Amino acid sequence: MKYKKIFLTAAVMAGSITMMAQTLATDYKGSGNNNPISSNIFCADPTGLEYNGRLYVYGSNDHQEFMANGKKGDNTYGNIKSIVVFSTADMVNWTFHGTIDTKKICSGWVTNPWYKGYGVSWAPSVTWRTNPETGEDEFFLYFCNSSHGVGVLKANSPIGPFKSPNQELMIHYDTPGANPQGTNANFDPGVTIDDNGVGWISFGGLGPSEIMPEAARIIKLKPSMTEVDGSAVKIHAPYHFEANELNVIGGKYVYTYCSNWANRDNNQWNAYKSEHNISVSAPGGGTMCYMVSDNPLDPDSWVYRDFYGPGVGGNNHSHLQKFQGKYYHLYHNHGDILLNAMKKEGEVDASAGDYRSICVNQTTVNETTATISRVTQNSEGVKQIKKLNPYEWQEAETMASCRGVGYEDYTNIKKNTRINTLGNDASINMQVKLKAGSWINVRGINYGTTGASKFTLRAKGMGKMELRNGSSPRTKVTTIEFSSTEMEEQTFDIPEGKLKGGKENLYFVVTDATDFYVDAWQFTEAQPDGIVETVSSPTVQRRHYDLSGRRLSDVGQHHGIVVEQYIDGNGVTHHRKRVSGN
């Protein structure tokens, strides 16, 4: 959509009503914490990829189950039929791109036999490549359909639209070497592309609770990346449970998985260590372990190295991701941050349980030896790796934290329904819906030495919003009033020197709103000589009405909120709400 930019200044309200600075509602993440990556969406089983300077993270949509259950009860995972997508350039401010509607995309899958058809979408794994024949970038997303198989989707962008290249699961009970029907599970895929351009995928789990469950598998993929090549083979992974992922590090294949809760018998473990010539201790239950191989199809080539990720109090699932030269441990917790905070505020029923949140902490990897250091998991998360540029358009869905924010597409997941009504596009058209009392926090902004002189908001509806900076107490920079019946850009003046240098925090605090949707925002940098270029606007005709729609002949005599109607120089009619009177 092409928008026309309207240059306005924040309205000066003669004799306006004095208003106390609004106290922010509680930050569920905790002030200053960077975990979890979202403060209002439950999601789990993370995977990721780096593309064009951004880290894209995908996960199981626990929030869909949360909404379907009326924000109460346990997460049974049966209503999860879509995949969430986030991205970041700085590891602190995350953009929510919406969801990938696997239910809709896979609606044409066969249903006979039943285990080749679609049911749910859990635990995604992603990768991408530049197609050697076409030169086009291709993105492949794999997910498990409950416990009986693995499906694949394909796109030409990390946010889609994704399509199903097959009419059924890619891996199922009939796949050579896969776990047979009725035993173990063909789930939790982990994909990688090696240094020769060959694709591999691991899967499997839920074997017997013992030292060697023999439920882990790996299989080669055909050049299309959407079909398997040959037969799956076992990975003899000690205490294996689920959560398979693959990486290639220093030319070696690195397989990670979650350990089970079997009894750790010292004699058994000592015998295993002796047989495989290793010296590490047995992993605890629910920890993230890893093995290394030079030849993935040789079951005896896989060497157990150690555990690197601590347990999280329930099912564990993580992904090891290299981004901008550093390694990160993506994982989920079981609501001990977000869910408990919501319960404390009374927003969630006390019965709600096991709605998970994706978190990230940094780790160290020796690429020469393919050795992963132990990870420390905490609420603080990771440090910001680059400052956010306020002079580029920033999507409203980009934030470090928020409260009271709704996503226009996301709320199409209706309460108490088992079907996700979202479209296929995890889209660039996402926008947030804001209400009175809601706020968005963006961190680590660098305004430069001359600072910001103007603020442009692309929005729709009517809203009054304070811009605040700092940590605590937060300082009000200015108040803007936006009004438009259509999505458009409006620009407001920023008081000189208020936003300058490397301010760490910016808050958008909404004090009043009527059907207020925000798409994006951007600041304008002041000129180095202090001269701000202005844009003249033609004289416009203005009319005023009270809230019942009656026209006011003398707006100055009216006390309270009025609706102002005006026509700009392009003949477009606009409306905005403001306060009038003494």
Side-chain angles (χ1 to χ4, degrees):
M1 180 180 294
K2 185 176 181 180
Y3 303 105
K4 298 177 181 178
K5 186 173 290 187
I6 312 297
F7 286 87
L8 303 172
T9 59
V12 178
M13 299 177 291
S16 63
I17 300 173
T18 301
M19 197 173 176
M20 296 293 291
Q22 181 170 325
T23 301
L24 296 188
T26 303
D27 187 343
Y28 289 142
K29 291 173 67 166
S31 180
N33 288 341
N34 293 323
N35 275 332
I37 67 172
S38 173
S39 60
N40 64 341
I41 299 174
F42 293 111
C43 44
D45 307 320
T47 185
L49 59 85
E50 180 176 0
Y51 184 71
N52 283 351
R54 296 189 69 85
L55 171 61
Y56 290 83
V57 172
Y58 307 73
S60 300
N61 190 356
D62 278 22
H63 210 87
Q64 188 171 11
E65 177 91 11
F66 178 68
M67 297 294 288
N69 290 344
K71 301 182 180 181
K72 60 185 178 182
D74 287 332
N75 185 358
T76 63
Y77 317 121
N79 293 305
I80 300 176
K81 301 176 187 292
S82 57
I83 293 167
V84 299
V85 186
F86 292 87
S87 75
T88 184
D90 60 25
M91 298 303 296
V92 168
N93 298 298
W94 293 85
T95 302
F96 176 56
H97 294 286
T99 66
I100 300 167
D101 187 354
T102 54
K103 171 70 176 181
K104 180 179 179 180
I105 299 169
C106 304
S107 61
W109 282 11
V110 300
T111 57
N112 184 23
W114 64 269
Y115 53 78
K116 294 184 179 181
Y118 175 86
V120 293
S121 53
W122 303 341
S125 185
V126 295
T127 192
W128 75 278
R129 69 176 181 186
T130 299
N131 188 297
E133 296 182 358
T134 67
E136 295 182 353
D137 293 343
E138 299 176 321
F139 299 82
F140 302 92
L141 186 149
Y142 305 82
F143 65 91
C144 65
N145 187 25
S146 185
S147 63
H148 53 271
V150 173
V152 59
L153 305 178
K154 182 180 177 181
N156 294 116
S157 159
I159 61 172
F162 282 89
K163 296 181 180 180
S164 174
N166 302 329
Q167 298 300 307
E168 61 185 31
L169 290 174
M170 186 184 75
I171 295 173
H172 45 71
Y173 291 126
D174 296 338
T175 300
N179 288 312
Q181 185 174 345
T183 63
N184 304 336
N186 294 312
F187 73 168
D188 285 12
V191 67
T192 194
I193 298 175
D194 67 21
D195 297 337
N196 296 315
V198 178
W200 303 86
I201 194 164
S202 56
F203 62 95
L206 302 188
S209 186
E210 56 191 40
I211 187 173
M212 194 55 64
E214 298 289 29
R217 301 286 192 276
I218 187 169
I219 195 168
K220 185 180 178 181
L221 295 175
K222 289 185 177 180
S224 66
M225 296 291 291
T226 61
E227 298 176 89
V228 298
D229 186 1
S231 177
V233 300
K234 293 180 180 180
I235 299 177
H236 301 306
Y239 299 114
H240 175 267
F241 183 57
E242 59 182 15
N244 316 281
E245 276 282 8
L246 283 174
N247 287 82
V248 174
I249 301 175
K252 296 183 180 295
Y253 301 85
V254 179
Y255 168 65
T256 62
Y257 65 94
C258 173
S259 63
N260 64 21
W261 286 265
N263 177 51
R264 271 42 173 180
D265 182 280
N266 288 334
N267 291 331
Q268 286 184 331
W269 185 249
N270 288 335
Y272 179 85
K273 289 196 300 181
S274 177
E275 179 182 358
H276 296 278
N277 193 29
I278 61 175
S279 58
V280 296
S281 301
T287 57
M288 294 305 303
C289 306
Y290 74 107
M291 303 183 75
V292 174
S293 171
D294 292 315
N295 183 7
L297 290 181
D298 178 3
D300 295 325
S301 70
W302 289 96
V303 177
Y304 179 83
R305 285 288 183 83
D306 204 350
F307 78 93
Y308 68 96
V312 293
N315 58 35
N316 201 350
H317 199 119
S318 75
H319 174 67
L320 185 68
Q321 178 66 48
K322 188 177 183 181
F323 177 61
Q324 299 293 298
K326 297 179 180 179
Y327 279 92
Y328 296 94
H329 175 64
L330 301 167
Y331 62 99
H332 66 233
N333 65 34
H334 286 259
D336 55 340
I337 299 174
L338 188 57
L339 186 61
N340 288 342
M342 288 183 173
K343 287 182 179 180
K344 186 176 181 180
E345 290 284 310
E347 184 173 326
V348 173
D349 190 85
S351 67
D354 205 31
Y355 297 103
R356 301 161 294 178
S357 298
I358 292 177
C359 300
V360 57
N361 284 96
Q362 191 174 338
T363 188
T364 300
V365 174
N366 184 322
E367 294 185 334
T368 302
T369 61
T371 302
I372 309 172
S373 297
R374 294 276 172 84
V375 178
T376 298
Q377 297 177 178
N378 53 40
S379 300
E380 290 81 4
V382 299
K383 293 182 179 180
Q384 192 167 3
I385 62 174
K386 62 181 289 188
K387 294 290 186 180
L388 184 139
N389 184 355
Y391 305 121
E392 297 176 345
W393 277 108
Q394 301 293 338
E395 298 296 329
E397 311 85 61
T398 300
M399 59 191 75
S401 193
C402 70
R403 181 72 185 271
V405 171
Y407 302 95
E408 188 175 54
D409 291 343
Y410 197 83
T411 54
N412 286 336
I413 300 176
K414 303 296 184 183
K415 181 179 179 181
N416 295 328
T417 181
R418 290 175 176 269
I419 300 175
N420 181 357
T421 59
L422 297 179
N424 182 15
D425 293 335
S427 71
I428 60 173
N429 299 316
M430 289 290 294
Q431 51 197 5
V432 299
K433 183 174 184 179
L434 301 174
K435 59 185 180 181
S438 59
W439 56 265
I440 291 173
N441 171 220
V442 182
R443 297 177 184 166
I445 297 179
N446 184 7
Y447 297 98
T449 56
T450 57
S453 63
K454 291 183 180 293
F455 172 72
T456 303
L457 188 69
R458 183 184 298 153
K460 176 183 179 181
M462 291 190 291
K464 185 176 181 180
M465 185 166 66
E466 293 181 359
L467 273 59
R468 302 184 191 177
N469 64 17
S471 53
S472 184
R474 299 174 182 91
T475 304
K476 185 171 75 171
V477 174
T478 191
T479 300
I480 68 168
E481 292 184 69
F482 184 98
S483 180
S484 176
T485 57
E486 61 183 17
M487 183 66 69
E488 69 171 18
E489 296 167 17
Q490 294 182 11
T491 299
F492 307 87
D493 285 336
I494 296 296
E496 185 178 353
K498 284 287 188 177
L499 293 177
K500 191 175 182 180
K503 299 292 185 182
E504 291 301 311
N505 283 288
L506 177 66
Y507 286 84
F508 302 96
V509 183
V510 180
T511 58
D512 190 18
T514 302
D515 295 327
F516 190 33
Y517 293 90
V518 178
D519 179 41
W521 57 269
Q522 181 185 42
F523 286 92
T524 300
E525 191 171 10
Q527 299 299 311
D529 57 6
I531 299 175
V532 178
E533 184 177 346
T534 60
V535 179
S536 61
S537 299
T539 303
V540 295
Q541 184 181 30
R542 301 179 188 274
R543 294 178 179 178
H544 300 88
Y545 302 85
D546 65 16
L547 292 180
S548 64
R550 292 175 298 187
R551 184 175 178 183
L552 303 173
S553 58
D554 188 353
V555 68
Q557 297 300 312
H558 183 80
H559 298 266
I561 298 175
V562 300
V563 176
E564 182 180 84
Q565 180 189 85
Y566 65 96
I567 301 174
D568 67 21
N570 297 300
V572 179
T573 301
H574 303 272
H575 299 83
R576 70 186 185 104
K577 187 166 58 174
R578 67 181 181 86
V579 178
S580 178
N582 297 321

